[in-house]
Amino acid sequence: MAEGAALRAVRGCLAAFPREARELGWTESIPYLDRPPSPLEFYRDWVSPNKPCIIRNAISHWPALKKWTSAYLREVVGSKVVSVAVTPNGYADAVFQDRFVMPEERQMPFMDFLDIVEKKVTSPNVFYVQKQCSNLTEEFPELVCDVQPDIPWMSEALGKTPDAVNFWLGESAAVTSLHKDHYENLYCVISGEKHFLLHPPSDRPFIPYELYQPATYHVSDDGSFEIVDEKSADKVPWIPLDPLNPNLEQYPLYAQAKALQCTVKAGEMLYLPSLWFHHVQQSHGCIAVNYWYDMEYDLKYSYYQLLDCLTKAMEVS
Ligand SMILES: O=C(O)CCC(=O)C(=O)O
């Protein structure tokens, strides 16, 4: 077969693959479970087939659901200095002006942050407690006893404890741009609601990635900001596309991708499987805790790597 014909054949396979994968397993919406599953059920029905679901009644016993009011948080952690992501536009870790721009990581007393979220103090900037890297245990140890250090049935299903337990509290303008990672993610909403837009890993051929110079916002209280390049850092591969308003002229293949959307309400838990692309928004002041369990680097991971490599090779051919 001539090289051109071979390339066309591979491109055709990549274009057909997402639909074929979808027909094998994805539903139009995310299914609900009414109770926490047994470890075996969860591994067999959700982790192994890499399917998302929303689980109800899995965290109803957590004291956090009743206790984490603004008054309680102010009393217990109000005077503590914590890391807050500050951006001019709500997008931390996202493509802006041809850079991969990270937030300013501001150290501030938690109650000053709450004053901004509750609009007792106005700011032109957007604030989000979203440090990850186990910020619940590292920065808010006073709150850990109101949730659980891990999700027992998940730890048993995977034979390990989470790599990170994260605390999220932010403004409605704070958006997490479309990305994927290598965690089995159990995302628990304590108050408010989170809005997820998801793509299965099999949609990779339709999702653009480009390489960007990393940079960081330096924002001022008057709303002015600078974007400062992290000159010695390597370029970062990131998705430039906004799935809520995709530029289909620039990224026509995305028209063939099929997003699943769901809202996770207070008291519910989303299982967001490893390698799924996710874009996240929230109601104002929403509080969430999530558990990142490292994925198994098995054949599923290798197949995804192959899909990724073939997609990149087609982009440059
Ligand atoms: O809640 C968010 O804003 C983002 C969560 C997320 O992207 C993650 O846990 O991987």
Side-chain angles (χ1 to χ4, degrees):
M1 197 191 280
E3 203 173 306
L7 283 176
R8 273 196 301 283
V10 175
R11 193 166 277 124
C13 288
L14 285 173
F17 177 74
R19 184 177 39 79
E20 287 164 3
R22 220 176 286 136
E23 280 169 5
L24 277 180
W26 318 139
T27 43
E28 293 291 310
S29 57
I30 311 274
Y32 283 87
L33 310 187
D34 283 331
R35 56 170 179 84
S38 72
L40 174 65
E41 275 171 346
F42 197 65
Y43 193 81
R44 184 192 57 206
D45 298 342
W46 306 98
V47 179
S48 176
N50 193 242
K51 285 185 187 174
C53 61
I54 297 174
I55 307 152
R56 291 185 168 135
N57 300 311
I59 59 168
S60 357
H61 57 293
W62 284 8
L65 289 178
K66 291 210 175 87
K67 272 168 94 176
W68 288 5
T69 59
S70 166
Y72 178 78
L73 295 176
R74 279 175 189 274
E75 185 192 317
V76 178
V77 272
S79 59
K80 246 193 141 166
V81 173
V82 298
S83 314
V84 182
V86 187
T87 58
N89 54 9
Y91 284 82
D93 300 337
V95 175
F96 185 68
Q97 294 179 351
D98 213 26
R99 297 274 185 282
F100 171 70
V101 194
M102 294 169 279
E104 175 177 318
E105 285 261 351
R106 195 172 294 180
Q107 299 299 308
M108 61 195 286
F110 190 59
M111 65 180 130
D112 292 359
F113 162 76
L114 288 177
D115 284 347
I116 291 168
V117 173
E118 288 166 10
K119 310 226 184 283
K120 293 184 173 150
V121 171
T122 53
S123 166
N125 299 316
V126 180
F127 292 70
Y128 193 12
V129 171
Q130 58 116 52
K131 188 160 190 287
Q132 304 151 54
C133 313
S134 254
N135 65 333
L136 179 72
T137 36
E138 298 297 316
E139 293 199 332
F140 300 93
E142 302 81 357
L143 299 180
V144 173
C145 55
D146 297 332
V147 296
Q148 281 178 291
D150 71 335
I151 303 294
W153 43 267
M154 183 60 150
S155 298
E156 195 176 330
L158 300 181
K160 57 183 144 194
T161 50
D163 275 9
V165 185
N166 306 310
F167 178 84
W168 309 81
L169 198 178
E171 300 190 77
S172 55
V175 178
T176 296
S177 70
L178 190 65
H179 70 288
K180 59 135 185 45
D181 41 54
H182 50 86
Y183 294 115
E184 308 296 350
N185 191 337
L186 287 179
Y187 203 109
C188 310
V189 178
I190 308 292
S191 68
E193 48 188 42
K194 284 267 175 182
H195 310 290
F196 290 83
L197 181 149
L198 307 175
H199 282 284
S202 50
D203 268 355
R204 171 66 183 98
F206 301 146
I207 296 183
Y209 268 92
E210 281 168 31
L211 279 176
Y212 294 95
Q213 166 67 47
T216 306
Y217 284 118
H218 290 204
V219 293
S220 306
D221 291 342
D222 66 3
S224 61
F225 65 93
E226 263 186 291
I227 295 177
V228 179
D229 282 350
E230 302 288 333
K231 289 219 174 71
S232 54
D234 290 341
K235 289 201 167 176
V236 175
W238 206 259
I239 300 166
L241 170 133
D242 176 358
L244 300 177
N245 185 20
N247 181 340
L248 295 178
E249 267 174 37
Q250 213 173 348
Y251 305 110
L253 286 177
Y254 186 73
Q256 297 176 61
K258 227 175 161 201
L260 281 170
Q261 297 203 43
C262 66
T263 293
V264 184
K265 300 201 170 105
E268 295 178 342
M269 174 194 279
L270 169 69
Y271 167 53
L272 175 53
S274 53
L275 305 177
W276 275 65
F277 298 91
H278 47 291
H279 171 278
V280 190
Q281 292 173 288
Q282 63 208 316
S283 60
H284 196 78
C286 171
I287 309 180
V289 168
N290 72 356
Y291 296 78
W292 284 351
Y293 287 83
D294 204 9
M295 70 177 292
E296 286 301 315
Y297 294 92
D298 56 8
L299 202 57
K300 205 159 45 186
Y301 174 77
S302 302
Y303 283 148
Y304 177 79
Q305 291 300 104
L306 175 66
L307 184 64
D308 188 49
C309 288
L310 288 173
T311 304
K312 281 187 199 138
M314 288 302 111
E315 276 163 8
V316 294
S317 68

